[in-house]
């Protein structure tokens, strides 16, 4: 395999640091509904799944009928400050610009709603970098189901070996595995290195420079290994 031609990025915790805004909305929602305080951390580690699925995993069966109302209230809270608190991962803008100039195809596969992603991309000046955005409202199956990967490959008419999925959670890495594409785990997001290691990513990035190296990695056919430019 040569350099990846299609880069499929998770959004929250991978391209942008959105945890402060998300966590603030979680804390307010938990307290408004009188949920146990322990639920805050339990909810935080589920960032990366669709919101309704997060709550299905958190709430007892007897309370799950109220999930739509909780989801709507969370979104009301998040919309007030969440997008404003979201900041790019330092150095990420330059890497995306370089990849775009180099002709890499790029897509986003996220559990965040598409309207929120678009708003943040516009504010950061990144919208033109991405040829596709896959979010729950446009999918039949959200992550970790591989539908987003399959649709990205189909849209760009590329084989699985041409793609690299980049994410900060085990849900992203499972999506890549189930979709038959390589994965790169970034360590600056919500899941710990130990959690990510258990999901067996194909490569690691501890900082944006290392991620850039994987994006522009080249196969040395004699050695059978990847080298970075």
């Amino acid at each position: 395999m040569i350099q990846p031609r299609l880069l499929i990025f998770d959004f929250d915790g991978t391209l942008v640091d959105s945890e402060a805004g998300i966590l603030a909305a979680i804390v307010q929602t938990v307290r408004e509904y009188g949920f146990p305080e322990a639920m805050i951390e339990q909810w935080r580690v589920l960032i990366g799944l669709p919101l309704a699925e997060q709550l299905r995993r958190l709430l007892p069966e007897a309370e799950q009928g109220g999930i739509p109302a909780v989801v709507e209230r969370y979104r009301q809270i998040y919309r007030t400050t969440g997008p404003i608190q979201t900041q790019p991962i330092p150095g990420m803008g330059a890497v995306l610009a370089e990849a775009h100039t180099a002709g890499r195809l790029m897509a986003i596969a996220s559990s965040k709603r598409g309207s929120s992603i678009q708003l943040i991309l516009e504010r950061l000046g990144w919208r033109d970098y991405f040829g596709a955005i896959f979010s729950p409202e446009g999918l039949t199956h959200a992550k970790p189901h591989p539908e987003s990967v399959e649709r990205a490959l189909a849209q760009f008419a590329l084989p699985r070996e041409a793609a690299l999925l980049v994410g900060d959670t085990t849900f992203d890495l499972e999506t890549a595995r189930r979709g038959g594409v390589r994965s790169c785990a970034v360590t600056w997001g919500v899941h710990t290195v130990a959690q990510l290691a258990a999901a067996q990513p194909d490569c690691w990035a501890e900082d944006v420079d290392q991620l850039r190296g994987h994006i522009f990695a080249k196969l040395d056919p004699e050695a059978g290994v990847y080298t970075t430019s």
Side-chain angles (χ1 to χ4, degrees):
M1 177 176 169
I2 57 173
Q3 293 178 340
R5 296 167 59 196
L6 171 61
L7 305 170
I8 305 172
F9 291 97
D10 172 54
F11 192 69
D12 290 319
T14 298
L15 294 177
V16 297
D17 182 356
S18 52
E19 187 173 351
I22 293 172
L23 188 57
I26 287 173
V27 169
Q28 186 172 337
T29 303
V30 165
R31 292 175 178 169
E32 282 189 11
Y33 277 87
F35 295 140
E37 287 286 307
M39 183 171 161
I40 293 170
E41 177 59 19
Q42 294 165 355
W43 193 343
R44 186 189 73 82
V45 298
L46 293 176
I47 294 171
L49 289 173
L51 190 52
E53 176 60 23
Q54 293 172 8
L55 289 164
R56 278 192 290 270
R57 296 190 182 200
L58 290 167
L59 296 177
E61 187 173 352
E63 298 180 28
Q64 295 203 357
I67 285 176
V70 179
V71 167
E72 182 53 35
R73 180 56 184 146
Y74 168 92
R75 286 175 173 159
Q76 289 173 351
I77 296 166
Y78 179 79
R79 281 195 295 267
T80 60
T81 60
I84 297 171
Q85 290 179 281
T86 299
Q87 298 298 322
I89 298 299
M92 187 63 72
V95 170
L96 294 176
E98 183 179 2
H100 180 67
T101 299
R104 296 295 186 277
L105 300 169
M106 292 188 282
I108 290 172
S110 175
S111 294
K112 196 181 198 74
R113 293 216 296 185
S115 57
S116 296
I117 294 172
Q118 293 276 13
L119 180 66
I120 295 167
L121 290 178
E122 292 288 349
R123 182 167 63 82
L124 297 177
W126 291 359
R127 181 61 191 87
D128 291 344
Y129 296 155
F130 298 97
I133 297 173
F134 301 102
S135 52
E137 66 271 28
L139 298 170
T140 303
H141 306 287
K143 294 188 298 185
H145 190 281
E147 181 183 351
S148 54
V149 169
E150 292 163 352
R151 288 184 54 179
L153 293 171
Q155 177 168 327
F156 295 109
L158 289 172
R160 299 181 192 280
E161 59 267 22
L164 177 69
L165 189 150
V166 182
D168 71 305
T169 70
T170 59
F171 311 124
D172 301 313
L173 304 180
E174 182 180 350
T175 301
R177 180 183 58 78
R178 293 172 66 180
V181 300
R182 289 195 306 138
S183 61
C184 181
V186 300
T187 61
W188 51 78
V190 67
H191 281 185
T192 65
V193 170
Q195 289 173 309
L196 295 170
Q200 299 182 319
D202 294 293
C203 58
W204 292 85
E206 295 181 358
D207 55 42
V208 173
D209 284 341
Q210 286 188 348
L211 175 60
R212 180 193 175 279
H214 293 305
I215 289 172
F216 293 100
K218 296 179 181 179
L219 179 63
D220 180 341
E222 293 185 3
V225 297
Y226 287 91
T227 60
T228 56
S229 57

